[in-house]
Amino acid sequence: MDAVGYLLGEKEVGDNVTIIGGGLTGCEIAYELYLHGKKSVIVEMKNNLIAVKGVCLANASYLRDFFATNKVPVYLETTLDEVLEDGAIAVDEHGKHFKY
């Protein structure tokens, strides 16, 4: 589902959620999911989370630190390749496929 669908409550999510995109919206959704006891993984193509100008530095820094402190998996320079019943397969910046 896309972010708007999640935010509008159109569907329930499971206990394990992959967030495709580590921009502000994706990070805020991952944060909310964590607070509700869900396990999320962030997959981001860029080399940093919230890698755009104009976002409050305090918010961006807090989210990065929160994910690191709480061991929320964040895969940078990575793309999603396939969704499986028991996880997903991603491709890192070196072209290496891995399952999580």
Side-chain angles (χ1 to χ4, degrees):
M1 90 176 64
D2 63 16
V4 174
Y6 170 77
L7 294 170
L8 292 175
E10 294 176 352
K11 291 182 184 177
E12 293 289 319
V13 297
D15 291 331
N16 299 299
V17 181
T18 296
I19 307 294
I20 307 302
L24 184 59
T25 302
C27 287
E28 287 178 341
I29 289 172
Y31 177 75
E32 179 179 313
L33 289 169
Y34 182 91
L35 295 179
H36 287 97
K38 309 283 186 179
K39 295 179 182 175
S40 59
V41 173
I42 300 172
V43 177
E44 170 56 48
M45 290 176 24
K46 295 182 180 177
N47 65 357
N48 203 349
L49 294 176
I50 315 171
V52 296
K53 294 181 182 182
V55 174
C56 175
L57 182 59
N59 291 346
S61 295
Y62 172 80
L63 287 167
R64 285 186 200 99
D65 290 345
F66 179 88
F67 297 142
T69 299
N70 292 287
K71 297 180 177 33
V72 174
V74 174
Y75 299 108
L76 300 175
E77 298 185 271
T78 301
T79 57
L80 181 69
D81 187 51
E82 184 179 355
V83 177
L84 308 169
E85 285 289 323
D86 62 342
I89 296 176
V91 182
D92 69 14
E93 71 269 25
H94 304 292
K96 179 182 174 192
H97 289 72
F98 64 94
K99 183 178 176 186
Y100 64 90

